[in-house]
Amino acid sequence: MSAWRAVGLNYINYSNIAAKVLRRALKPELRAEAMRRDESRIRITPWANGKPAHEKE
């Protein structure tokens, strides 16, 4: 059994923790660029009748 599974983590949680540790270990000049990769954005598109329903502003 994998060490991460033995402590009750799934692979996504394990890889997120490993990525954060790696980013913190980088040299300061490289850390800023790597920390920007840690940000994530999602866009939710509502669907109606099998097509994306766009909200009019």
Side-chain angles (χ1 to χ4, degrees), residues 19-39:
K20 285 180 184 180
V21 170
L22 178 65
R23 288 183 191 110
R24 290 180 186 160
L26 291 172
K27 293 180 180 180
E29 59 270 10
L30 300 174
R31 187 178 303 160
E33 183 180 342
M35 291 302 262
R36 278 189 261 132
R37 292 187 199 124
D38 193 26
E39 298 173 6

Side-chain angles (χ1 to χ4, degrees), residues 1-20:
M1 179 180 276
S2 304
W4 51 269
R5 193 170 294 269
V7 295
L9 293 174
N10 61 28
Y11 183 75
I12 299 296
N13 291 342
Y14 164 75
S15 63
N16 284 338
I17 292 169
K20 285 180 184 180

